[in-house]
Every structure is written in C-alpha cells, then in structure tokens.
Amino acid sequence: MTTVVASAPILPQLEGANLLNLMIVDDERAIREACREVAQSLGFNTCVADSAEHSYRMLDAQGVDVVLLDLKLPGAGGLEALHQIRERRADAVVIVVTGYGTVQSAVQAMKNGAYDYVTKPFSMDELKLLLQRVSGHLKLKTENRLLREKIKSKQGFGSIVGRAPEMEKLYRIIAKAAHSNHPVLILGESGTGKEIVARSIHYSGPFHDKPFIPVDCGSLVPTLIESELFGYVKGAFTGAVQSREGLLAIAEGGTVFLDEVGELSVDLQAKLLRSIQEKEIRPVGSTKRVPINVRILAATNRDLEQAVAQGTFRRDLYFRLNVLSLRIPALRERRQDIPLLAAHFLERLSRASAQERSLSDDAMKALLAYDWPGNVRELENCLERACAFTSGPMIQACDLPAPFTVCKARCQREETARPRLSLSPTWRSRPSSIRSGNLTATNCWRQSCWGLVKQHSTAS
C-alpha cells in the first residue's frame, strides 16, 4: 500500500487562480484525493482518472494542461501511457509519480518528454512546490507565445508603421544594423521618420539600456554644436562659468544621433571625423583628450554624394559614416501604408481626446490621391488638424485642409467629368478617300480633332 506523508494543513485557494487544468491519473483513491486538494488550493481545475484507458477518454473529451501520472498503473505500462498522453496532448506538462525503487523508470520517462517526477512517498509541501513551478513554467510559456503572436501581427517594426515591400526591406536592414556597432547613415526626405528609425536601431540592439541622444545639427550655430558635442572647460569662452561634458562623452556606451548631419560646417566635420576615428574628443578650451565609447547614427535629407562633389561635405567623413546605410522610402512610394498610418494616428488622437475618430471613404480617397511632399509628418499633421475641425466622429473630405480637397476634386473630375472627344456625324460619314485641295483625309482628321480639343478646353 502506497502512502502519502501528511504535512501542514492545506491552505485555502489562492487569489488570482491560474485556472490551469490538471488531470490526476492514479489507481489509489487516497492519492487522487490528496493530490486534488493540493492542486485546488493552488487554483488548478482538477479531474481524476483511475486507469490509463480512463485518462485517454478524458483527454479526448476535454482540455488538459498538466498531467500527474502514476507509472505503476494496472493494465498499460506507465511509459506507454506517457506516450499515449503525449500523442493526444503534445503541449501538456506531464509529471510522473514513481516508487522509491523505480527511479530509473522516471528518468526514462523524462527522456520521453515528461517535465519532472516525484517519488512516493512524497509530502504535500513537495507536491505543492512542484505544481507551483509547473504553473510558473506554463504562464511563462503562454506569455512567450502571446509575445511572438503580437510581434508577428505587428504592422511594422518598433514604432515604425508599414507593410509595403519597401518597408519590409527596411526592417531587415534595421534588424541587422541594430546588432552592430558600426556607424549608420540614414537617408530620406524630410518627414519620413529618420529619428524613429534611429531609435528603432538603438532600442532593438544590445545597448538599448544605454543613452540615446539626438542632436539637431541644422538648428544650432556651428560654435554651439561644437560645445554641445565635445563639451568645454571653464573659461573657454564668455559665459563658460563652469566645465561641461560633451554629448559624445555623456552617451558613454550608447548612441548619438546626428540629425541633418549634412548641415555641419566643413571645419566641424573635420573635428567629428577625428573623434570617430580616434575614439576620443578634446573639449573646447582644453588641452586634454577624453576617450569616448559611443555609436554614431547620422541622418540627412541631402544628397551627400553631390555635396561631396561640390566640396561642401568631406569625402572621408562621408565614407566613415556610410559604413552601413539605409534609405527610408517617401510616403508617395508606399501609398498602401497610408490607411495603416492613418489608423495609427487616429487611434492615438482618439485616446488623447477620449473620442473615437474615423475616416470616411471620400476622405481616405483624398489622402490616397495626395502626393505628400511632407511625408508621414504631414499626414500626422493633416489628421490632427482634421480632428480639431471636425464636428463629429467621422472625418469627411471637407474637413481636410485645402490641398487635399483640391486633390480629391481633381480626381473626381478626371474620373467622372473627363471630356469625351467625338467626331461630327458629317465628318464620320465622309469616305477616307475624299481630298480637299492639297489636304489628305488624315490631315483633315487631325485638324478636326484639334478643333474639338480647343472647343472642350474653352468650355471647361
């Protein structure tokens, strides 16, 4: 007769029960009931079976997450029962129960897919700890599965939204660049989201917990950019009442993002090049050099190859920054992403205003027909403005700014009011062999069509 060692009183059912389904397969009633009490106190839904065949029928009829299986069952052997259970529920966690003299069978069972084993006689505390560990394992497994599904169903990469083929190619480059420490040059028109791409590269990599520092090279005067990047010592210039570290030193182990790097002066380009090559900087007014450990990401909307040819950008710095490069497509090159982007921005605006917003079909057609010289930033601004001016939850075409209304009207004219050129019945009835003076029938046809075109143009 197998016994279960008594232990401390069973605790009441815990709050926040995990609602996992546990099946106890044992031919001894006392064992089944004792294990049921422990499992229920931990929040498991339990069912019991007194034989292998009984457990098979239950597995076919209901979902089971965990199986507590006795290897010494009447009829089928324990290892065969394990095989049948794994066949029916491959994702179920199986814990085998074995006697003191049959530990070798339990080891074989684990090789065949069992999660763990417990040896009789076992205490209730021992079983409780094992079930708690199984519960944590299953919760972690579920969270990982949900995370994988969330990543798979995402509409982009990180904070970037888009499913166009051009964007899928961009995501692959970002994923590769994220796990490198080489400089990256990000190219794209204004408003395409170069800083968002830079942040995605930084926060997707191994140094995501280090600083990410953006620097707008186009908005600061050269002297101010120099002191911001390299720092300065006390008394270096008027107003320098105390020393200050540069951003390249502050971002130790992290990333400095140089936005609009093409706007840097040639002198400052030379100093930046030396800092990247030598991995050290010299603060303004100092004679000492400071070592740095930082990754450089640079972005520009300029054609740097043309700037190199014109002498406004250093060729050596261009090659140093262009170790890895990627280009962000303009919004007009991926129009299929406009509905996704619009939904993304409207969801965010709806949360901010606590009012649901959506686009009418006419408004969406107007957005799709527009060329978006300002790219994604212009789309976001357009929708924000439309939400501010609309009087209801549905954004109509008339709520959009003037350029979009004009674009929609032009498309409608092209589709519904396009003039149809037709020859007069008199002309159509004339045989093609007729000649008038020295004009052939073909020349007369051309003159007639040109007259009709001018007539329709004047009318419109």
Side-chain angles (χ1 to χ4, degrees):
M1 181 72 177
T2 309
T3 59
V4 178
V5 179
S7 184
I10 301 299
L11 296 175
Q13 182 168 325
L14 300 177
E15 293 184 6
N18 48 43
L19 299 180
L20 294 172
N21 297 317
L22 169 70
M23 182 170 68
I24 304 164
V25 186
D26 200 297
D27 60 329
E28 296 188 44
R29 180 182 178 86
I31 298 280
R32 294 197 302 268
E33 294 304 320
C35 292
R36 184 203 285 264
E37 277 192 69
V38 174
Q40 288 180 342
S41 73
L42 295 174
F44 283 89
N45 293 325
T46 59
C47 59
V48 295
D50 57 5
S51 65
E53 290 74 14
H54 188 191
S55 69
Y56 303 155
R57 293 194 298 271
M58 296 186 70
L59 285 170
D60 293 336
Q62 64 188 62
V64 173
D65 302 301
V66 186
V67 178
L68 190 63
L69 174 66
D70 186 8
L71 287 181
K72 292 294 183 181
L73 290 173
L79 294 179
E80 175 61 23
L82 172 63
H83 175 72
Q84 293 294 332
I85 291 171
R86 297 283 297 169
E87 283 284 320
R88 288 170 167 79
R89 287 285 186 274
D91 56 343
V93 173
V94 181
I95 303 170
V96 295
V97 180
T98 183
Y100 179 77
T102 57
V103 174
Q104 189 61 37
S105 298
V107 174
Q108 185 61 44
M110 292 184 66
K111 290 181 180 179
N112 292 351
Y115 175 77
D116 206 342
Y117 73 93
V118 60
T119 306
K120 294 181 180 179
F122 54 86
S123 69
M124 294 295 98
D125 285 340
E126 184 180 358
L127 178 62
K128 185 176 180 179
L129 289 174
L130 180 56
L131 290 178
Q132 285 175 334
R133 185 154 55 87
V134 170
S135 176
H137 167 75
L138 287 174
K139 286 181 178 178
L140 181 61
K141 187 177 178 181
T142 302
E143 289 173 1
N144 288 339
R145 178 178 57 81
L146 294 175
L147 181 59
R148 286 194 301 271
E149 291 177 354
K150 182 179 179 181
I151 292 173
K152 185 177 180 180
S153 64
K154 285 191 71 171
Q155 299 173 345
F157 186 100
S159 301
I160 313 169
V161 177
R163 286 179 176 171
E166 298 87 351
M167 298 302 292
E168 295 292 341
K169 180 180 178 181
L170 178 66
Y171 301 152
R172 290 193 292 270
I173 299 175
I174 291 174
K176 292 179 181 178
H179 292 85
S180 165
N181 60 354
H182 297 297
V184 179
L185 182 59
I186 305 169
L187 306 174
E189 296 179 7
S190 179
T192 51
K194 294 186 288 294
E195 183 172 341
I196 294 177
V197 169
R199 289 182 181 274
S200 296
I201 293 174
H202 172 76
Y203 289 109
S204 300
F207 309 111
H208 57 86
D209 55 340
K210 301 296 183 181
F212 175 88
I213 301 179
V215 181
D216 188 352
C217 302
S219 64
L220 301 174
V221 296
T223 53
L224 187 54
I225 294 178
E226 183 179 11
S227 60
E228 284 287 317
L229 287 177
F230 306 107
Y232 54 85
V233 296
K234 181 179 179 180
F237 51 84
T238 303
V241 296
Q242 61 182 8
S243 299
R244 180 178 177 180
E245 275 191 300
L247 297 178
L248 291 173
I250 293 175
E252 175 68 21
T255 301
V256 170
F257 172 56
L258 302 176
D259 195 12
E260 301 304 338
V261 70
E263 305 300 324
L264 290 176
S265 66
V266 176
D267 293 340
L268 195 53
Q269 290 174 27
K271 193 168 184 179
L272 177 61
L273 173 64
R274 181 176 181 85
S275 299
I276 297 174
Q277 288 179 333
E278 304 299 329
K279 297 188 180 299
E280 61 181 19
I281 58 174
R282 184 170 64 84
V284 177
S286 175
T287 58
K288 297 180 179 179
R289 297 193 175 276
V290 178
I292 59 171
N293 175 27
V294 65
R295 184 187 192 182
I296 300 294
L297 303 181
T300 181
N301 59 9
R302 295 179 58 188
D303 185 344
L304 288 188
E305 290 185 355
Q306 183 179 357
V308 168
Q310 295 173 348
T312 57
F313 199 85
R314 292 182 62 102
R315 184 181 301 273
D316 45 7
L317 178 59
Y318 171 69
F319 289 132
R320 178 61 64 177
L321 295 176
N322 198 29
V323 176
L324 297 174
S325 66
L326 54 89
R327 177 185 173 274
I328 308 175
L331 186 54
R332 62 182 173 276
E333 298 173 5
R334 53 180 186 115
R335 293 182 188 273
Q336 61 265 52
D337 285 338
I338 291 177
L340 286 177
L341 288 162
H344 171 74
F345 291 135
L346 286 177
E347 181 184 2
R348 192 168 66 189
L349 291 168
S350 298
R351 287 199 305 267
S353 62
Q355 183 177 1
E356 288 292 328
R357 303 288 189 182
S358 60
L359 283 167
S360 68
D361 290 342
D362 286 344
M364 181 57 72
K365 289 178 181 177
L367 297 182
L368 290 169
Y370 188 59
D371 278 341
W372 300 104
N375 294 291
V376 179
R377 184 187 295 126
E378 185 180 6
L379 173 61
E380 182 180 12
N381 178 266
C382 165
L383 293 174
E384 188 172 357
R385 179 176 175 180
C387 287
F389 279 95
T390 187
S391 57
M394 180 73 71
I395 297 175
Q396 305 293 338
C398 59
D399 297 318
L400 301 175
F404 304 93
T405 307
V406 172
C407 185
K408 176 178 178 294
R410 185 176 70 245
C411 292
Q412 288 178 338
R413 286 200 303 270
E414 291 175 355
E415 293 176 0
T416 62
R418 182 182 290 119
R420 299 290 188 267
L421 299 183
S422 60
L423 298 177
S424 64
T426 304
W427 175 257
R428 286 199 303 268
S429 64
R430 293 178 182 176
S432 61
S433 60
I434 293 178
R435 296 175 181 271
S436 176
N438 61 351
L439 292 178
T440 64
T442 303
N443 290 332
C444 292
W445 183 86
R446 288 174 180 166
Q447 285 190 351
S448 177
C449 282
W450 179 242
L452 287 169
V453 170
K454 290 196 292 184
Q455 177 183 345
H456 279 281
S457 300
T458 304
S460 60

